[in-house]
Amino acid sequence: MNIQTQTAIKADNGVNTEALIGARGAFAEAPMAAQFTFKSQCSWIEGTYNANRIGSYFGLGQEHERSRTFMIESDHPKVFAAADRAPTPPEIVLAALASCLTGGVAAVAQHRNIQLNSVEAFVEGDVDVQGILGMDPEIRNGFSAIRVRFEIDADASRDEIEALVAQSQKRSAVFDILTNPTQVDVALS
Amino acid sequence: MIHISTLIIGAGQAGLAMSHALAARGEPHVLLERGEIAQSWRTERWDSLRLLTPNWQSRLPGHAYSGPAPDGFMTMPEVVAFLSDYAARMDAPVETNTRVTSVTRDGAGYRVATDRGLWTCRNLVLASGACNRANIPAFAGAIPAHIHQMSPLGYRTPGQLPEGGVLVVGASASGVQIAAELAAAGRDVVLAAGHHVRMPRHYRGRDIQWWMDRSGLLDTTTAEIDDLARARAVPSLQLVGDAGARFLDLNALQAAGVEVAGRLASVRDGAALFSGGLGNAAALSDLKMTRALAGFDAWAEAQGLTGLPEPERFAPTALPARPRLSLDLNGGRIATIVWATGFRPDFDWLHLPVFDRKGRIAHRDGVVAPGLAVLGLPFLRRRKSSLIDGVGADAVALADHLVTTSRRVAA
């Protein structure tokens, strides 16, 4: 760990915290503008192979197009008799958690003027597949536990880096989604 | 209808401090009190509760603790006596057993209806307390009917609860104290802990309040705070008014047999669902405590204080490897839920457009509107505003504001 004191130097992690703080002020004045709806559309291709297209969202009172339509494919590995063309949905959830926390570390570090040199997140989730195979009603389908381990090189003390990791969890959407219950409604059109 | 220059609603420490400040400025005033002096302290606190601040810190304008135990902690009857003595010494003009039912605008002043008659005034001071109502989440409505529910405002003693286990929701001072007391009485206790603030009762041979007071932390003003809404919502420290209990944190509670779970997030199908984020809540709390203690150490060093024991650091909060994520409320283990989820003031009778979109009274350093001030709320003007030790300076400043403003208008 690289411990230095660089109070006079402005950290640059590529996060525009001034704009984010400005948005906070704007949303405090107009809370309706802070109501966002994110969207993804999933098309079945074959077997367990399918593809999500993410191209627009609602926010600031209106629809917005993304700069392009992003694709996230999903499939299952060969051990589940699939063709292993893409990650499984639970792996995408793990990736979403790691991405959310890693982005949070960068944003919090920027706000605290801490220069990051490298950030690696290693995420693991344990699943007993007897649950999804319907073999034992006492075993849940989802992860029984998720672990994230960060390796961070930053111009800050160990305590300051631990505080980055803790604050990124406190403000993370996906950490909240995974740790708290969410009402999910699925309907047929 | 009676007219008086200034009315104060509430005769606790805030109202009495304001009365003292107004009397010193020759401002005619009356206090309207729904019950007796110090009513909340008399009727809305549990039996074993003691103040979280040491006796030396019970300081009001013209009145301070002068007994033989400056480092002790007052019981509720002692707090009531302390405030009653204050009122008697200054001969405060209190109308007791007078409940305010409505406040409306009346020309340049205010019209205050009570169950014992109508008043009008030019200036009005809201000093009715910050903790009149318990904050209870909406999903409490989904809790099975056989579960007994209460808040700390109604809790008195373990024997009052029906037989059986207790789910205490909230790990601030009220929640940890009630959980510890119930566990000591032999109850099976589960504590749902969200974000909380761990702190030792004493550090380097001094009470934690000594450090917060002397270092100037409690004097921090609203102007010095970036995010005031957040500062006003900080939960109370995990403390008890007992010098012998250094920590009343999650470690101490678990050692006493309390099961700790994450924040109570929801109730679904008769089951309480807890957050899986307890580990991070504890980590944030540990980091915050360590930063606070390091700040005190740095202050002591800069002051050149000598004779203090060496700085200490404390082991992190230890948690079960797999804290529970759900609890079946129909399973027979839990008979009672205690909502120690915070408090809010009751301003239902205040019929004025002075509330923000979340229903909180909007004010700047205690000034709500022309001739209207509020006292005793968390971080009203300073970090110590909600303490007995902090309300006096706020009362003096707001008394100056009200008196000079109304006399300028009158002239």
Side-chain angles (χ1 to χ4, degrees):
Chain A
M1 191 165 300
N2 187 359
I3 298 173
Q4 301 177 3
T5 306
Q6 297 194 335
T7 48
I9 295 172
K10 183 77 181 147
D12 182 7
N13 302 317
V15 181
N16 186 348
T17 47
E18 286 80 6
L20 295 174
I21 290 165
R24 270 184 61 141
F27 290 143
E29 297 298 315
M32 281 310 292
Q35 307 307 311
F36 278 59
T37 301
F38 291 107
K39 307 170 186 190
S40 180
Q41 181 181 335
C42 185
S43 301
W44 177 58
I45 301 169
E46 178 268 327
T48 57
Y49 183 40
N50 54 49
N52 292 271
R53 278 169 290 145
I54 300 170
S56 69
Y57 64 94
F58 178 88
L60 310 174
Q62 62 182 47
E63 286 290 323
H64 297 268
E65 295 297 314
R66 304 296 296 267
S67 52
R68 63 185 172 86
T69 296
F70 303 103
M71 293 280 287
I72 299 176
E73 298 185 338
S74 181
D75 197 4
H76 281 74
K78 288 178 176 152
V79 69
F80 294 114
D84 206 12
R85 284 159 286 204
T88 60
E91 288 167 321
I92 295 169
V93 171
L94 296 182
L97 175 62
S99 288
C100 199
L101 294 177
T102 301
V105 165
V108 177
Q110 186 67 53
H111 187 54
R112 297 182 180 179
N113 199 29
I114 293 173
Q115 181 62 51
L116 299 174
N117 301 313
S118 70
V119 179
E120 293 291 330
F122 303 84
V123 54
E124 295 179 343
D126 302 331
V127 171
D128 183 339
V129 299
Q130 293 182 86
I132 48 178
L133 293 173
M135 295 165 60
D136 185 341
E138 290 179 6
I139 295 172
R140 67 183 286 183
N141 301 338
F143 293 115
S144 58
I146 295 174
R147 293 174 297 280
V148 184
R149 179 174 60 81
F150 270 104
E151 286 182 5
I152 298 177
D153 179 4
D155 299 340
S157 70
R158 167 110 196 159
D159 274 2
E160 287 170 327
I161 294 172
E162 283 184 0
L164 292 183
V165 173
Q167 187 65 21
S168 79
Q169 292 168 75
K170 190 177 181 187
R171 293 270 72 90
S172 163
V174 179
F175 185 86
D176 173 70
I177 290 164
L178 289 173
T179 55
N180 291 307
T182 304
Q183 180 67 36
V184 180
D185 297 312
V186 180
L188 179 63
S189 333
Chain B
M1 183 154 52
I2 309 172
H3 180 79
I4 182 89
S5 185
T6 296
L7 271 180
I8 301 169
I9 302 177
Q13 66 271 16
L16 293 171
M18 178 55 84
S19 176
H20 188 277
L22 292 175
R25 285 155 185 76
E27 170 71 5
H29 65 279
V30 160
L31 299 92
L32 303 178
E33 168 54 58
R34 64 181 162 141
E36 301 294 326
I37 286 161
Q39 180 73 3
S40 298
W41 298 108
R42 288 174 195 268
T43 62
E44 294 170 3
R45 302 289 184 268
W46 60 94
D47 294 351
S48 66
L49 180 65
R50 289 171 178 264
L51 282 189
L52 295 180
T53 48
N55 290 336
W56 58 260
Q57 213 173 3
S58 287
R59 298 177 288 207
L60 288 162
H63 190 55
Y65 176 84
S66 57
D71 298 321
F73 299 88
M74 287 185 200
T75 63
M76 292 306 100
E78 288 167 346
V79 175
V80 171
F82 176 76
L83 294 176
S84 299
D85 288 351
Y86 187 33
R89 276 176 62 174
M90 69 169 113
D91 198 14
V94 184
E95 296 284 321
T96 56
N97 298 303
T98 305
R99 180 180 291 274
V100 171
T101 56
S102 168
V103 170
T104 50
R105 194 82 204 182
D106 179 55
Y110 297 93
R111 176 185 177 93
V112 178
T114 79
D115 59 0
R116 293 184 59 208
L118 197 59
W119 294 75
T120 57
C121 59
R122 174 174 289 276
N123 297 316
L124 181 62
V125 178
L126 310 172
S128 46
C131 303
N132 311 110
R133 296 274 182 88
N135 287 327
I136 296 177
F139 61 75
I143 286 167
H146 63 86
I147 302 272
H148 185 64
Q149 299 184 49
M150 62 168 51
S151 82
L153 296 175
Y155 173 76
R156 291 294 171 274
T157 185
Q160 155 204 19
L161 272 55
E163 286 293 306
V166 186
L167 171 60
V168 178
V169 185
S172 298
S174 299
V176 297
Q177 288 189 33
I178 292 170
E181 177 166 275
L182 291 167
R187 297 299 186 112
D188 176 19
V189 179
V190 178
L191 176 72
H195 289 294
H196 55 272
V197 188
R198 183 185 179 208
M199 203 59 76
R201 177 75 262 180
H202 48 88
Y203 179 66
R204 300 180 68 183
R206 299 284 191 280
D207 191 90
I208 199 70
Q209 292 289 347
W210 181 90
W211 289 99
M212 294 199 286
D213 178 63
R214 300 300 158 88
S215 69
L217 188 67
L218 290 174
D219 290 318
T220 310
T221 63
T222 53
E224 298 170 78
I225 295 292
D226 286 338
D227 190 340
L228 197 51
R230 187 180 301 175
R232 285 176 172 159
V234 168
S236 59
L237 307 180
Q238 289 179 328
L239 292 177
V240 57
D242 174 1
R246 185 164 203 190
F247 278 103
L248 196 55
D249 57 4
L250 300 186
N251 287 345
L253 289 167
Q254 289 177 95
V258 173
E259 179 183 350
V260 178
R263 188 178 69 90
L264 179 56
S266 185
V267 172
R268 187 187 291 169
D269 299 334
L273 304 180
F274 302 100
S275 169
L278 175 60
N280 193 52
L284 281 162
S285 183
D286 288 339
L287 286 162
K288 193 174 290 185
M289 174 181 70
T290 302
R291 271 201 304 274
L293 299 180
F296 295 147
D297 293 336
W299 167 78
E301 190 169 357
Q303 295 293 306
L305 295 189
T306 54
L308 288 170
E310 286 299 301
E312 285 174 89
R313 291 296 173 264
F314 302 99
T317 304
L319 294 171
R322 298 284 170 87
R324 73 165 55 246
L325 297 172
S326 70
L327 178 57
D328 181 5
L329 297 174
N330 293 314
R333 179 176 175 190
I334 298 298
T336 304
I337 295 178
V338 179
W339 296 104
T341 32
F343 305 97
R344 64 182 190 278
D346 175 10
F347 290 125
D348 282 357
W349 37 266
L350 188 59
H351 301 136
L352 298 170
V354 293
F355 299 97
D356 68 15
R357 66 189 169 87
K358 296 193 76 179
R360 297 171 300 207
I361 193 162
H363 66 88
R364 175 164 294 190
D365 280 347
V367 177
V368 180
L372 182 62
V374 64
L375 270 175
L377 302 185
F379 224 131
L380 186 90
R381 298 174 61 91
R382 293 177 187 274
R383 196 185 304 278
K384 65 182 179 186
S385 283
S386 58
L387 304 183
I388 289 175
D389 194 40
V391 77
D394 290 0
V396 167
L398 287 167
D400 272 337
H401 169 83
L402 291 173
V403 167
T404 56
T405 307
S406 61
R407 286 180 187 163
R408 193 162 59 233
V409 170

